[in-house]
Amino acid sequence: MPTIVVDVMPKAELLDPQGKATTGALARLGHDKFENVRIGKRFEFTVDGEVTDAVLAEVRQVADEILSNSVIEDVVAISVDGEAR
Amino acid sequence: MPTIVVDVMPKAELLDPQGKATTGALARLGHDKFENVRIGKRFEFTVDGEVTDAVLAEVRQVADEILSNSVIEDVVAISVDGEAR
């Protein structure tokens, strides 16, 4: 069955406290090569049947309206079986 | 600056209660095309300088030991500027 992946990240212009804390913790543990870490969400949708344009449009709508909070987050990528759409 | 993306998902053989709830909620809202939804994490590392094999090895170690709980989660992908590694 095809898998649609939706990636949601905190907006670039906003502070990501979770990522900031992770960056600091990694540095304290000796992993100081990383300038910055940001943490977002990854959704995997399994679709029964073919991924048509209608299905993709529905995923896009769900991603924008339900899975992400557009005030603080961006939908950065939607891909089908590894291919960006 | 190059960005390294680490994707962490709940193991396929385990129930993902968050994803299950989302699948149910979407179905109740009329989005019933989706067989299943699973929810994981996406980490974006910004690296100051080149992404060498040493940096990648460190990211892999951090991903396996710190960013994911190997009992319930898998590191499903590590990519650099969109290219899988």
Side-chain angles (χ1 to χ4, degrees):
Chain A
M1 279 194 288
T3 300
I4 305 175
V5 175
V6 175
D7 290 316
V8 174
M9 293 298 293
K11 274 183 195 292
E13 60 270 31
L14 296 183
L15 183 72
D16 169 19
Q18 195 180 200
K20 209 90 210 148
T22 306
T23 312
L26 287 177
R28 283 196 299 280
L29 289 168
H31 302 288
D32 51 7
K33 288 193 188 67
F34 313 118
E35 187 73 16
N36 197 16
V37 181
R38 296 182 75 81
I39 305 180
K41 287 175 283 186
R42 176 188 159 104
F43 300 86
E44 285 187 2
F45 289 79
T46 315
V47 180
D48 194 8
E50 219 185 323
V51 179
T52 59
D53 283 352
V55 172
L56 264 181
E58 189 165 340
V59 167
R60 209 172 295 269
Q61 190 207 338
V62 164
D64 286 338
E65 295 177 5
I66 301 176
L67 302 180
S68 69
N69 175 354
S70 64
V71 177
I72 57 167
E73 293 171 322
D74 281 326
V75 177
V76 293
I78 295 179
S79 63
V80 181
D81 290 334
E83 252 177 78
R85 288 301 178 96
Chain B
M1 279 195 287
T3 301
I4 305 175
V5 175
V6 174
D7 290 316
V8 173
M9 294 298 293
K11 275 184 194 289
E13 60 269 31
L14 295 183
L15 183 71
D16 169 19
Q18 195 180 197
K20 209 91 209 147
T22 306
T23 313
L26 287 178
R28 282 195 300 280
L29 290 167
H31 301 288
D32 51 7
K33 289 194 186 65
F34 313 119
E35 187 74 13
N36 198 15
V37 181
R38 297 181 75 81
I39 305 180
K41 287 176 283 186
R42 175 187 160 104
F43 299 86
E44 285 187 2
F45 288 79
T46 314
V47 180
D48 194 7
E50 218 185 323
V51 179
T52 59
D53 284 351
V55 172
L56 264 182
E58 189 166 338
V59 168
R60 210 173 294 270
Q61 191 208 336
V62 165
D64 286 339
E65 295 177 7
I66 300 176
L67 302 180
S68 68
N69 175 353
S70 63
V71 177
I72 56 167
E73 294 171 322
D74 281 327
V75 177
V76 294
I78 294 179
S79 63
V80 181
D81 289 335
E83 250 177 78
R85 290 301 178 96

